[in-house]
Amino acid sequence: MTARRIAQPGRKPGSPELLPRRAVREFTHTPSRIAMPLPNFKRAYPDNRPLPETGLWFAINQHGIIVFANEDELHLPSGTSHLPGVERSPSAILLGEVNQVACLACTVPDDIALPKGYRALGLRDLYGRLEDTLYVVAGYATQMLHWQRTSNYCANCSAPLMPIPNEWGKRCPRCSFTAYPPVNPCTITLVYDEDRILMTHKRGWGPRYGLVAGFVEPGETLEQSVELEIMEETGVEVADIRYWRSQPWPFPHQLMCGFYARYTSGDIVIDHDELDDARWFTADDIRNGRPALPAPLSIARRLIDDWLASRFPAAGP
Ligand SMILES: [Zn+2]
């Protein structure tokens, strides 16, 4: 995923002169209904009440989220007594509740020895091992603790920020600057052309290929971001840009907005500052295991699975 650096003067995304000249293909992708986990999670906001005595703890140190894990089970600590030091943490916050069970989060000092059986696992390592809703809350916990840790001082005048009652926002008592937990929108797009899709590769990804993705620039619509990111990274033009679904991506604050776009013209020309390869793969390629795909937790993978399901509705992804 990239932040764009190259201005394209005079180029107006979506303007009539950029519309494809070749005939519109008959095939149009019809999104199916690949499931995305929807959190059964009731949010809480800061108030003056003491934190609940019991609940699930999303306790985080520099290595990840602390869980009890062995070969047979993996679960979150359900009480402060399980984790010495947690109850003293000044960073503890109430995130909300799942099925009336409080979800709390805190940062754990790295010098605290974890009790037997407990260890810290990164979010990616927890995928599929924590129940879906708790996994989403774990991502939220990491975002909110990151926010709490990095929002102590005013970005305008450097004075210490003060909490705004009943919100996660903070206000500067000196200059009234306000700050809120950030959400950075990004677009990620599956570009299709009949029976093939455009996939990209970056250095360090090993055999895995992904989809074109990038941060939305200030002043830009999501659709413009899709069109320009694809053009700048791969040199191809697209039409029929259609929103699919979104996914919080807490590394640390992205909101991935998934799109489909139909290829219209252009040969692949790679931006080598961003990618080391981009190429077309057919549905048969992918179903036969080529290339390696993004992790199942990612919206990139879900876009691909959804597209495959639309090509092979009887077999599914
Ligand atoms: Zn200030």
Side-chain angles (χ1 to χ4, degrees):
M1 190 160 54
T2 60
R4 283 198 300 282
R5 298 151 291 105
I6 306 167
Q8 296 211 338
R11 187 159 190 280
K12 297 175 183 172
S15 57
E17 65 273 21
L18 290 178
L19 291 177
R21 293 192 174 84
R22 75 197 236 186
V24 173
R25 295 171 184 274
E26 287 188 3
F27 169 75
T28 300
H29 172 68
T30 303
S32 65
R33 298 207 171 271
I34 294 289
M36 296 280 283
L38 294 175
N40 173 27
F41 173 59
K42 182 179 173 189
R43 286 166 185 261
Y45 293 89
D47 57 29
N48 291 324
R49 288 180 291 180
L51 295 181
E53 294 289 326
T54 60
L56 290 174
W57 279 90
F58 297 80
I60 296 175
N61 67 15
Q62 65 170 340
H63 303 295
I65 297 175
I66 297 167
V67 292
F68 178 87
N70 61 26
E71 289 183 359
D72 301 321
E73 61 175 321
L74 182 146
H75 60 76
L76 294 159
S78 57
T80 55
S81 59
H82 289 173
L83 290 174
V86 167
E87 66 274 26
R88 297 191 302 273
S89 171
S91 69
I93 54 176
L94 175 65
L95 299 170
E97 58 183 48
V98 172
N99 299 330
Q100 278 132 29
V101 176
C103 296
L104 301 120
C106 68
T107 304
V108 176
D110 293 324
D111 57 359
I112 286 185
L114 299 180
K116 189 171 187 302
Y118 283 86
R119 57 189 167 125
L121 292 176
L123 273 178
R124 287 182 170 87
D125 295 324
L126 288 172
Y127 180 75
R129 302 184 70 187
L130 266 185
E131 186 271 327
D132 280 353
T133 294
L134 295 182
Y135 184 79
V136 172
V137 178
Y140 180 54
T142 64
Q143 291 194 61
M144 295 310 293
L145 291 174
H146 183 273
W147 158 250
Q148 294 292 70
R149 191 170 64 249
T150 57
S151 60
N152 293 317
Y153 297 96
C154 177
N156 189 46
C157 77
S158 303
L161 293 177
M162 300 297 291
I164 299 174
N166 304 311
E167 299 182 12
W168 288 114
K170 299 181 182 181
R171 186 190 311 278
C172 176
R174 184 191 291 167
C175 74
S176 297
F177 176 85
T178 55
Y180 286 85
V183 177
N184 297 329
C186 302
T187 58
I188 182 163
T189 308
L190 184 146
V191 179
Y192 61 90
D193 177 37
E194 302 271 358
D195 192 37
R196 59 182 190 164
I197 64 173
L198 179 62
M199 299 188 73
T200 59
H201 188 271
K202 294 189 180 193
R203 280 177 291 278
W205 278 7
R208 175 170 61 88
Y209 275 66
L211 302 177
V212 176
F215 287 95
V216 179
E217 302 272 326
E220 189 172 64
T221 66
L222 294 172
E223 293 82 356
Q224 288 169 331
S225 169
V226 167
E227 186 175 5
L228 288 171
E229 200 71 41
I230 293 166
M231 167 58 70
E232 289 169 13
E233 287 198 3
T234 68
V236 307
E237 298 204 12
V238 297
D240 293 344
I241 296 168
R242 285 192 291 160
Y243 171 73
W244 185 61
R245 289 172 202 174
S246 61
Q247 179 186 47
W249 193 243
F251 302 101
H253 292 299
Q254 284 90 286
L255 176 66
M256 304 302 295
C257 304
F259 285 84
Y260 283 96
R262 181 173 56 82
Y263 167 82
T264 58
S265 63
D267 296 327
I268 294 174
V269 179
I270 298 167
D271 175 357
H272 284 283
D273 288 337
E274 302 292 350
L275 304 175
D276 66 2
D277 194 21
R279 63 178 67 193
W280 296 99
F281 289 95
T282 67
D284 279 344
D285 288 337
I286 295 167
R287 286 165 63 83
N288 289 321
R290 177 176 167 271
L293 297 180
L297 82 169
S298 65
I299 194 170
R301 175 62 171 274
R302 291 166 190 272
L303 278 159
I304 295 166
D305 287 347
D306 181 75
W307 178 77
L308 281 175
S310 76
R311 306 290 301 176
F312 303 94

